[in-house]
Amino acid sequence: MKVNLIVCLFVLDTERNENIRKNDIQKIKILTTKDFKLPSVLFDGKSVKNQVRNNLSSIIGSNIFHLEQVFAMDYEKEIDIIYLGVTNIENVRKLDNNYQLIDFNVENNNTIIFGNNSYSYKTIEIESYNNIEYIHEIKTDDANIKRTLLDTLISYKRIRVNADSSDIIFKFMGSSFTLENVRILYEMIKDTKVDKSNFRKKIIKYCEKTDDEQNDIKNGFRPSQKYKFKPLKGDVWL
């Protein structure tokens, strides 16, 4: 039985906004091969997580990323073990030429943005042995793309769930960030809007001020305070 170790690496990228009064544009991207497959390596019978980590490190030229196992898919002659990875674009130091970062998002719980294309999907609830199973039906005739999208969608939904019970949002941040950066990313992932003041109160205890500033004073606007993540043991983020 062949065992594939697959990683869905989500990367927060930032594009400079020409309007200095506006926040820079944050985008989530997904790491794929040039033919839109997720990074994969055959299990060698040793440490699964170390093998996934080493493979990913060789692709992005860095070992600074969050990594956790999400689920496994059992096929007729092979098993896929899926890992979720999260990092910031500043940690992608030297991207392997065989790979690319493409736009990714999930909108309205029915559309997947994947590169320059969008794919509709629906989630069906099935009761089995007193448990609820969720089946995602993705509209595409391309079996390889469907497999990639399914792995990516399930991994992304893990981020959505964990966003309210863990520090995974901060795993997307670079070495420093503003509170607005965190809020905008949270709203993007959850596909919702939050009250700015209440959200700030919830996250501020996990943020430690740095000496960095968002804008130069010469621009004529008040600089935004920059922070770094300060974990609290035994606590839940939101």
Side-chain angles (χ1 to χ4, degrees), residues 43-86:
F43 179 45
D44 62 5
K46 300 177 182 179
S47 172
V48 175
K49 191 169 186 177
N50 283 343
Q51 193 176 349
V52 174
R53 178 171 287 280
N54 291 340
N55 183 52
L56 186 55
S57 296
S58 68
I59 294 172
I60 67 172
S62 166
N63 61 3
I64 306 174
F65 49 81
H66 170 73
L67 191 67
E68 64 180 81
Q69 186 176 328
V70 182
F71 65 103
M73 297 291 285
D74 189 359
Y75 297 96
E76 184 177 351
K77 296 182 179 180
E78 57 187 338
I79 295 175
D80 287 353
I81 299 178
I82 316 300
Y83 273 80
L84 161 66
V86 170

Side-chain angles (χ1 to χ4, degrees), residues 123-136:
T123 301
I124 301 173
E125 295 184 6
I126 299 177
E127 186 174 350
S128 177
Y129 300 102
N130 295 320
N131 291 316
I132 300 295
E133 295 183 6
Y134 297 93
I135 307 298
H136 305 294

Side-chain angles (χ1 to χ4, degrees), residues 12 40 43 69 84 91 107 110 122 130 132 186 198 237:
L12 181 64
S40 175
F43 179 45
Q69 186 176 328
L84 161 66
N91 300 320
E107 299 176 347
N110 60 20
K122 63 179 179 179
N130 295 320
I132 300 295
Y186 179 86
N198 288 339
W237 176 33

Side-chain angles (χ1 to χ4, degrees), residues 134-173:
Y134 297 93
I135 307 298
H136 305 294
E137 294 185 351
I138 301 172
K139 192 174 182 180
T140 175
D141 294 327
D142 188 318
N144 289 327
I145 288 292
K146 181 178 290 188
R147 193 162 170 171
T148 294
L149 292 176
L150 179 60
D151 291 345
T152 310
L153 176 62
I154 295 175
S155 298
Y156 191 73
K157 289 201 168 190
R158 171 66 69 88
I159 296 175
R160 277 190 172 178
V161 171
N162 288 355
D164 290 320
S165 59
S166 76
D167 61 3
I168 197 164
I169 291 292
F170 289 104
K171 305 296 187 185
F172 279 100
M173 296 296 138

